[in-house]
């Protein structure tokens, strides 16, 4: 965890904004020296984390590093805050405000002197502690080079492979097929088939099962097995292929001794000689080679190896096993084989095999019954089943079985390197540090939680984990790339990409891994967990009765408090007052679903707050104007505050605000306040029952606009949002979408359009045509009177997603639907006649839509391709 804090701090110090600020305040050199020392410390932190359990002094050394970094974070936060105060003062133009500012401790001269003193003090502490690293013999370690996967081999006892018969047959059938892109001359005849899944899912076992299938002996005269792991060294891989080919030959040779001598001698060959030897072994041979456990994402290296081995006969195949979707895509010639978990029945069979001697389970039906409950926590992952079954082998004490059943996976002892959590941690260790520190935040949410990109992006951005080095790329865009990368590494699953909204889940064992690596600093508070460590930085409260006054530590290092479960919120205003006074460096405060009637004026003391969620507080009538002193606030969520009379005065001072959700009884919104929010990108209005109009003047920064259940809203002049990319409208009965925006038609930059629950809409608005060149997502849902779609013009070349749901009067697609060449995802449901016409193979519209990558018609039918 020290590494995460240090890396976050280094990211901030390297950013354009901090470098400019440090020069402006004359502390650039001091910060540079601090950064240089911190970089040296960063290099040995992985080694320190590995050794801390064996050296008590080392654990204390790490705690000191963390304390210094926390203090440095607070100091750097002062830079940002001072910069915001300057901007507000400049914008106010008020002479008295400027006089008060010059007389305060935050004026430039006083601030510069105070800041320089604090930085020198912290730098001195860091220099002293950093010098102590030599006492512990710490060395610099690259975590990605430190990964040591276990060596694998092709031998397998068929009786030990449980529940993979179908998967084995499917892979064998793939191997029997010709190259899908090969030609009559045999070009591209070598085909690569990737098997993908999280650690412990059984990819290697499946590959072994296929490798040893008797059908493979007939199909491939030459079979080779190579364990690759993280070291994608071309020379080493060539040697392994040659040795494996030689071993394959030796199984039928009557003179094995010469072959063994050859195995010993090729290590002395240079690369030219090795390549020549490789070609001799493979040329003209129809072969199968398994490249097991591949971590390399360097395409140039892969293409170099591929060119060397594609000298075999037509029909040669390569099986690749990997945990990474992106690696599978890079290497594969066909769609990845995504390996799923075992069935509950097969999991229990595997568990019994590892927990008992053969037949022994029949004597202990009570333990088998507990075992059925234990395997549920394994969620189909064979290695997890094996780990827990092995831990209970020859143990017949019911209490010990119940302990395993009732404990979280991450709390159970993992004795061996190939147990499930150490195995999964290999994937974690392979990630770059910026991804590892983002991954920790998944531990704050319950298992099976449905995440979305807005929540996770806001959380990461609030804590400075997303840094733009050039100052131009938006943090939301960078955070979205992080999510995509986590998906490619199989850390998230069940992804639904709706355009601007992106939902996903985290596998239960990956969630256990997050808890395992984030412990002490990330704590979930419930009725059972009442021991909160003093070094905690992030608190997640999942039970209503779990947030008593005396429960929380007095540490100044707390940065997050959140209630991740809808319906669970804060009921005690006294606790809120305690938090405000105690945790003045909070960055993220989620008070959703709380039940108090007011927010204290003292909320303004949380000067470093970036995120404030007051959603679904249905008792709050007013907000203190002091909330507008939170100059670093980036996200303010007021959705569902149905009793809120009006927005606080001075809203325009929130100059850092990027995302605002509003529920209010106001009928007129203060345009000047909104116009001052120059960084506001996402604006949402929910349940604003008295709101008839939005604005009549431009809000040039708005990129996403969401309108939901605003029943009196009558018009929406899109021309006031020149940068609008996302528009979502749901259940706004009186809104006339067919109006021509009270201005001549103009080109829109819109990328994502969602129109739902319009009871009287017969046709879609004409202005959609103005966005045809840029539109990527179009969703129309619950439009009971909709009878016709607009004719899609040939310029509509960007549309990737088209969703038509619950439009029963819609009977047909337009005749030129086949021209939507970029369309990747088509979903139609709740449209009986249209669904019938779009059925795969039999529907009259099927020829128009068969080219689309993913087609889902109704709940049960459809086809998907990669």
């Amino acid at each position: 965890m020290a590494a995460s804090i240090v890396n976050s701090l280094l990211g901030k110090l390297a950013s354009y904004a901090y470098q400019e600020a440090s020069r402006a305040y004359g502390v650039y050199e001091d910060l540079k020296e601090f950064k240089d020392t911190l970089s040296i410390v960063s290099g040995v932190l992985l080694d320190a984390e590995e050794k801390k359990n064996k050296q008590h002094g080392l654990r204390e050394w790490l705690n000191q590093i963390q304390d210094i970094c926390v203090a440095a974070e607070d100091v750097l936060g002062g830079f940002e805050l001072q910069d915001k105060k300057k901007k507000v003062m400049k914008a106010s133009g008020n002479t008295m405000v400027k006089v008060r500012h010059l007389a305060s401790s935050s004026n430039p001269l006083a601030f510069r002197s105070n800041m320089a003193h604090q930085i020198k003090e912290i730098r001195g502490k860091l220099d002293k502690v950093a010098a102590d690293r030599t006492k512990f013999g710490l060395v610099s370690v690259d975590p990605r080079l430190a990964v040591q996967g276990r060596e694998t081999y092709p031998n397998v006892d068929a009786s030990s492979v449980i529940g993979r018969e179908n998967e084995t047959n499917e892979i064998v059938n793939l191997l029997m097929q010709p190259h899908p892109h090969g030609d009559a001359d045999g070009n591209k005849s070598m085909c690569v088939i990737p098997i993908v899944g999280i650690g412990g899912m059984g990819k290697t076992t499946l590959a072994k099962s296929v490798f040893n299938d008797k059908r493979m002996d007939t199909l491939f005269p030459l079979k080779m097995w190579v364990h690759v792991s993280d070291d994608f060294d071309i020379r080493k891989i060539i040697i392994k292929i040659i040795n494996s080919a030689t071993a394959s030959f030796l199984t039928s040779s009557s003179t094995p001794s010469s072959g063994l001598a050859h195995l010993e001698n090729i290590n002395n060959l240079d690369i030219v000689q090795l390549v020549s030897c490789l070609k001799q072994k493979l040329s003209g041979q129809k072969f199968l080679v398994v490249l097991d456990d591949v971590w390399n994402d360097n395409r140039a290296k892969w293409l170099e190896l591929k060119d060397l081995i594609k000298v075999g006969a037509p029909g040669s195949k390569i099986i690749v096993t990997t945990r990474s979707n992106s690696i599978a895509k890079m290497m594969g010639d066909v769609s990845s084989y995504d390996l799923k978990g075992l069935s509950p029945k097969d999991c229990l069979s595997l568990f019994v095999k590892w927990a008992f001697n053969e037949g022994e389970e029949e004597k202990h039906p009570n333990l088998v019954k507990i075992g059925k409950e234990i395997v549920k926590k394994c969620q189909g992952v064979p290695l997890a089943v094996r780990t827990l079954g092995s831990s209970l082998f020859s143990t017949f004490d019911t209490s010990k079985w119940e302990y395993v059943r009732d404990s979280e996976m991450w709390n159970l002892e993992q004795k061996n390197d190939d147990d499930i959590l150490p195995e999964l941690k290999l994937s974690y260790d392979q990630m770059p540090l910026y991804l590892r520190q983002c991954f920790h935040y998944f531990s704050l949410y319950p298992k099976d939680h449905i995440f979305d990109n807005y929540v996770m992006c806001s959380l990461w951005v609030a804590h400075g984990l997303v840094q733009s080095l050039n100052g131009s790329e938006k943090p939301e865009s960078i955070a979205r790339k992080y999510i995509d990368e986590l998906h490619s590494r199989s850390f998230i699953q069940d992804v639904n990409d709706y355009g601007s909204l992106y939902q996903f889940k985290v596998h239960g064992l990956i969630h256990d891994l997050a808890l395992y690596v984030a412990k002490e600093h990330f704590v979930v508070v419930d009725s059972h967990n009442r021991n909160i460590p003093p070094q905690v930085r992030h608190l997640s409260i999942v039970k209503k009765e779990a947030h008593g006054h005396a429960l929380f530590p007095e540490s100044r290092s707390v940065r997050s408090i959140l209630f991740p479960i809808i319906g669970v919120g804060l009921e005690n205003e006294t606790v809120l007052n305690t938090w405000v006074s105690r945790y003045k460096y909070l960055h993220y405060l989620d008070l959703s679903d709380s039940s108090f009637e007011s927010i204290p004026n003292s909320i303004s003391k949380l000067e470093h707050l970036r995120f404030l969620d007051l959603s679904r507080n249905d008792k709050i009538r007013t907000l203190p104007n002091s909330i507008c002193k939170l100059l670093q606030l980036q996200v303010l969520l007021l959705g569902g505050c149905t009793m809120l009379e009006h927005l606080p005065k001075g809203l325009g001072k929130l100059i850092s605000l990027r995302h605002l959700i509003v529920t209010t009884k106001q009928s007129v919104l203060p345009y000047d306040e909104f116009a001052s929010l120059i960084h506001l990108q996402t604006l949402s209005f929910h349940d604003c029952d008295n709101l008839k109009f939005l604005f009549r003047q431009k809000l040039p920064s708005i990129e996403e606009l969401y309108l939901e259940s605003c029943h009196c809203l009558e018009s929406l002049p899109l021309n006031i949002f020149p940068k609008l990319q996302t528009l979502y409208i749901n259940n706004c009965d009186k809104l006339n979408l067919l109006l021509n925006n009270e201005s001549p038609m103009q080109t829109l930059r819109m990328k994502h359009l969602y129109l739902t629950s319009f009871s009287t809409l017969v046709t879609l608005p004409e202005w959609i045509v103005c966005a045809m060149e840029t539109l990527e997502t179009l969703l129309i849902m619950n439009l009971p009177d909709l009878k016709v779609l607009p004719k899609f013009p040939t310029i509509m070349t960007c549309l990737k997603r088209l969703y038509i749901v619950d439009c029963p009067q819609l009977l047909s697609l337009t005749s030129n639907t086949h021209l939507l060449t970029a369309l990747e995802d088509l979903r139609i449901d709740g449209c009986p006649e249209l669904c019938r016409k779009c059925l795969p193979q039999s529907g009259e519209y099927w020829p128009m839509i068969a080219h689309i990558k993913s087609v889902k018609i109704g709940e049960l039918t459809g086809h998907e391709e990669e």
Side-chain angles (χ1 to χ4, degrees):
M1 281 306 304
S4 294
I5 301 172
V6 168
N7 189 65
S8 175
L9 205 52
L10 285 171
K12 289 179 180 179
L13 290 168
S15 70
Y16 176 81
Y18 275 102
Q19 291 191 36
E20 289 297 299
S22 63
R23 284 189 174 94
Y25 289 106
V27 292
Y28 177 79
E29 290 301 325
D30 286 309
L31 274 182
K32 185 178 181 301
E33 290 181 24
F34 177 80
K35 177 175 172 286
D36 291 343
T37 305
L38 200 61
S39 296
I40 295 171
V41 170
S42 175
V44 301
L45 285 180
L46 181 65
D47 193 33
E49 292 283 356
E50 292 293 329
K51 295 176 178 176
K52 69 180 181 182
N53 292 327
K54 299 177 182 177
Q55 301 184 49
H56 178 75
L58 194 52
R59 183 181 291 272
E60 179 57 31
W61 183 81
L62 283 169
N63 287 336
Q64 290 178 18
I65 293 291
Q66 289 175 187
D67 290 343
I68 291 170
C69 288
V70 168
E73 277 186 338
D74 298 342
V75 172
L76 292 181
F79 272 120
E80 297 176 80
L81 188 58
Q82 179 70 6
D83 186 54
K84 299 296 189 303
K85 287 179 178 179
K86 283 175 62 179
K87 289 178 180 177
V88 169
M89 182 188 69
K90 184 177 180 180
S92 71
N94 188 312
T95 303
M96 287 303 297
V97 170
K98 294 180 180 180
V99 170
R100 285 197 301 270
H101 178 71
L102 289 170
S104 73
S105 60
S106 62
N107 78 67
L109 293 176
F111 178 80
R112 179 180 298 181
S113 174
N114 184 43
M115 189 62 64
H117 173 74
Q118 291 187 62
I119 290 173
K120 286 179 180 178
E121 183 179 350
I122 291 173
R123 199 190 86 203
K125 290 180 179 179
L126 181 63
D127 288 343
K128 183 177 182 300
V129 175
D132 290 340
R133 72 187 184 279
T134 57
K135 296 179 183 178
F136 304 106
L138 299 177
V139 295
S140 181
V141 179
D142 184 337
R144 287 169 290 181
L145 297 179
V147 173
Q148 294 294 325
R150 70 192 190 286
E151 193 76 19
T152 65
Y153 47 86
N155 307 79
V156 67
D157 178 2
S159 65
S160 68
V161 181
I162 294 175
R164 291 302 190 195
E165 295 83 2
N166 290 337
E167 290 85 347
T168 299
N169 286 329
E170 287 170 354
I171 297 293
V172 168
N173 287 335
L174 282 173
L175 291 169
M176 291 178 171
Q177 302 300 315
H179 194 301
H181 310 300
D183 58 28
D185 298 323
N187 293 326
K188 297 185 178 177
S189 59
M190 186 182 73
C191 182
V192 182
I193 301 171
I195 301 175
V196 184
I198 65 170
M201 189 58 83
K203 301 179 294 298
T204 298
T205 300
L206 176 59
K208 287 181 178 184
S209 183
V210 171
F211 190 88
N212 289 285
D213 191 286
K214 291 182 179 180
R215 291 168 287 183
M216 297 297 95
D217 294 333
T218 304
L219 193 60
F220 301 104
L222 178 60
K223 296 190 303 180
M224 295 158 287
W225 181 281
V226 176
H227 178 246
V228 180
S229 194
D230 59 297
D231 185 13
F232 201 88
D233 184 292
I234 300 291
R235 177 186 171 84
K236 290 180 181 178
I237 294 173
I238 290 174
I239 291 173
K240 287 184 177 183
I241 293 175
I242 294 171
N243 284 340
S244 186
T246 303
S248 180
F249 170 75
L250 288 177
T251 58
S252 58
S253 172
S254 59
T255 56
S257 58
S258 61
L260 291 173
H262 181 75
L263 291 178
E264 294 173 1
N265 292 334
I266 65 169
N267 288 323
N268 300 321
L269 300 180
D270 62 31
I271 189 65
V272 175
Q273 293 170 318
L274 283 172
V275 169
S276 176
C277 184
L278 179 71
K279 287 184 177 180
Q280 289 178 14
K281 293 287 183 183
L282 302 186
S283 290
Q285 296 275 4
K286 186 180 179 184
F287 63 76
L288 169 66
V289 59
V290 174
L291 299 178
D292 186 40
D293 195 25
V294 177
W295 296 79
N296 167 65
D297 58 1
N298 186 321
R299 186 166 181 264
K301 281 188 174 184
W302 159 239
L303 292 178
E304 181 183 353
L305 177 64
K306 189 177 182 182
D307 285 341
L308 292 174
I309 59 180
K310 64 178 182 183
V311 294
S316 295
K317 298 289 197 299
I318 298 176
I319 293 176
V320 171
T321 71
T322 180
R323 305 181 186 197
S324 168
N325 288 293
S326 59
I327 290 174
K329 187 175 181 180
M330 175 188 78
M331 298 180 71
D333 294 313
V334 296
S335 301
S336 301
Y337 189 89
D338 191 4
L339 187 57
K340 304 298 184 184
L342 295 176
S343 69
K345 180 181 177 182
D346 289 331
C347 279
L348 184 60
S349 298
L350 185 62
F351 178 83
V352 167
K353 179 179 178 63
W354 284 96
F356 299 99
N357 283 316
E358 187 172 355
E360 199 173 44
E361 71 276 7
E362 296 176 5
K363 302 175 185 178
H364 302 281
N366 59 321
L367 297 183
V368 173
K369 185 177 181 181
I370 298 172
K372 288 181 180 179
E373 298 297 316
I374 290 174
V375 297
K376 288 180 181 178
K377 69 170 71 223
C378 299
Q379 298 196 352
V381 177
L383 183 57
V385 176
R386 194 194 80 178
T387 298
L388 296 188
S390 298
S391 72
L392 293 169
F393 179 69
S394 296
T395 301
F396 306 110
D397 184 342
T398 302
S399 64
K400 291 183 178 179
W401 283 63
E402 289 173 340
Y403 173 77
V404 172
R405 179 195 65 190
D406 299 334
S407 298
E408 293 290 347
M409 181 75 77
W410 64 279
N411 263 332
L412 296 173
E413 185 178 3
Q414 311 273 311
K415 297 179 180 179
N416 303 313
D417 288 343
D418 60 350
D419 282 344
I420 183 62
L421 286 183
E423 181 71 20
L424 289 174
K425 193 172 180 292
L426 290 176
S427 299
Y428 169 82
D429 290 337
Q430 275 282 323
M431 286 197 292
L433 194 51
Y434 66 84
L435 274 187
R436 274 183 276 153
Q437 60 189 16
C438 289
F439 173 69
H440 295 161
Y441 287 81
F442 290 132
S443 68
L444 296 173
Y445 294 84
K447 281 187 178 180
D448 297 321
H449 182 79
I450 298 176
F451 294 89
D452 67 63
N453 53 308
Y454 285 110
V455 171
M456 293 315 297
C457 289
S458 296
L459 192 53
W460 295 338
V461 171
H463 293 292
L465 304 183
V466 180
Q467 294 291 334
S468 174
L469 296 181
N470 58 14
S472 61
E473 191 172 8
K474 294 176 182 175
E476 292 83 2
S477 299
I478 301 172
R480 177 64 182 262
K481 290 178 182 177
Y482 289 1
I483 292 175
D484 289 340
E485 190 170 352
L486 286 166
H487 182 217
S488 77
R489 293 171 179 270
S490 301
F491 276 82
I492 62 178
Q493 62 180 22
D494 298 340
V495 172
N496 280 306
D497 186 353
Y498 300 107
S500 63
L501 178 65
Y502 191 92
Q503 292 181 325
F504 58 90
K505 293 176 73 174
V506 173
H507 190 282
L509 290 177
I510 297 295
H511 184 268
D512 284 323
L513 176 65
L515 290 166
Y516 180 64
V517 297
K519 52 191 174 186
E520 294 183 349
H521 293 90
F522 292 73
V523 174
V524 176
V525 183
D526 56 25
S527 53
H528 304 294
N529 180 9
R530 309 193 71 82
N531 295 315
I532 300 178
Q535 65 269 37
V536 66
R537 291 171 61 82
H538 309 282
L539 291 165
S540 173
I541 304 164
V542 297
K543 294 285 185 181
K544 282 190 176 182
E545 69 273 17
H547 43 76
H549 177 76
L551 184 62
F552 296 93
E554 296 186 8
S555 169
R556 60 184 270 174
S557 64
V558 174
R559 294 294 187 268
S560 309
I561 300 176
L562 60 150
F563 291 84
I565 299 176
I566 291 180
V568 177
L570 187 63
E571 298 177 340
N572 191 328
E573 291 183 41
T574 304
V575 173
L576 175 58
N577 288 324
T578 299
W579 289 350
V580 171
S581 62
R582 183 177 293 174
Y583 306 135
K584 66 176 184 176
Y585 290 101
L586 268 177
H587 284 198
Y588 191 101
L589 180 58
D590 173 5
L591 297 174
S592 58
D593 292 293
S594 296
S595 55
F596 35 74
E597 297 182 0
S598 62
I599 300 292
N601 276 308
S602 58
I603 191 79
S604 61
K605 292 181 179 179
L606 302 179
E607 291 184 313
H608 300 273
L609 200 63
R610 269 77 166 172
F611 180 101
L612 178 60
D613 188 354
L614 298 172
S615 301
R616 300 180 298 281
N617 278 268
D618 55 10
K619 291 185 179 180
I620 292 180
R621 294 183 177 274
T622 61
L623 292 174
N625 295 336
S626 62
I627 206 170
C628 299
K629 294 181 180 180
L630 300 175
L631 303 184
Q632 302 211 67
L633 197 65
Q634 298 169 351
V635 178
L636 177 60
L637 307 182
L638 305 174
C641 297
T642 52
M643 299 302 291
L644 188 64
E645 299 288 347
H646 55 79
L647 297 173
K649 293 180 180 178
L651 190 70
K653 294 178 182 177
L654 297 176
I655 59 172
S656 301
L657 206 62
R658 305 173 69 86
H659 188 165
L660 174 63
I661 298 180
V662 173
T663 296
T664 178
K665 291 186 175 183
Q666 284 173 264
S667 58
V668 178
L669 297 171
Y671 169 76
D672 289 344
E673 298 274 29
F674 279 83
S676 297
L677 302 174
I678 59 174
H679 296 294
L680 187 64
Q681 295 179 358
T682 304
L683 178 59
S684 305
F685 295 98
H686 295 183
D687 300 293
C688 297
D689 290 337
N690 299 322
L691 196 63
K692 291 186 177 182
F693 309 99
L694 291 182
F695 311 99
R696 299 189 184 279
Q697 295 168 278
K698 287 189 176 183
L699 290 176
S701 66
I702 302 298
E703 296 182 3
E704 300 185 27
L705 179 65
Y706 297 82
L707 304 170
E708 183 161 358
S709 299
C710 296
H711 298 292
C712 291
L713 190 64
E714 296 178 359
S715 68
L716 177 62
L718 292 178
N719 59 304
I720 70 171
F721 304 110
K723 291 185 180 179
L724 192 65
Q725 295 184 14
T726 298
L727 177 61
Y728 172 93
I729 308 176
N730 175 38
N731 195 28
C732 297
D733 321 61
K734 295 184 179 180
L735 182 59
N736 189 346
L737 286 178
L738 302 180
L739 285 178
N740 197 15
N741 287 305
E742 304 171 11
S743 66
M745 297 287 277
Q746 61 183 34
T747 300
L748 301 174
R749 298 183 183 182
M750 200 176 299
K751 292 183 178 180
H752 311 288
L753 176 61
Y754 311 88
L755 302 176
T756 73
S757 300
F758 284 91
S759 58
T760 59
L761 203 63
V762 177
T763 183
L764 296 182
E766 291 184 6
W767 50 258
I768 290 181
V769 177
C770 300
M772 289 301 184
E773 292 186 20
T774 55
L775 200 63
E776 296 178 8
T777 307
L778 175 60
L779 178 146
I780 51 177
M781 177 186 290
N782 193 22
L783 308 183
D785 291 340
L786 184 70
K787 295 182 179 179
V788 63
L789 291 175
K791 190 169 183 178
F792 300 118
T794 55
I795 60 171
M796 201 169 184
T797 55
C798 294
L799 191 68
K800 296 179 181 179
R801 292 166 286 269
L802 177 59
Y803 308 132
I804 305 171
V805 183
D806 293 332
C807 302
Q809 299 292 326
L810 189 61
L811 306 180
S812 62
L813 295 176
T814 60
S815 59
N816 60 350
T817 302
H818 64 285
L819 297 176
L820 301 176
T821 54
L823 194 60
E824 298 176 352
D825 190 3
L826 173 65
R827 305 184 193 186
I828 304 175
D829 192 18
C831 315
E833 182 62 17
L834 183 57
C835 284
R836 184 187 66 79
K837 293 178 179 178
C838 292
L839 285 175
Q841 314 307 329
S842 61
E844 63 184 273
Y845 291 153
W846 180 248
M848 287 198 300
I849 61 177
H851 68 283
I852 299 170
K853 184 177 178 181
S854 174
V855 178
K856 294 182 180 178
I857 308 299
E859 293 183 355
L860 302 177
T861 61
H863 88 144
E864 289 192 48
E865 300 176 354
E866 290 298 328

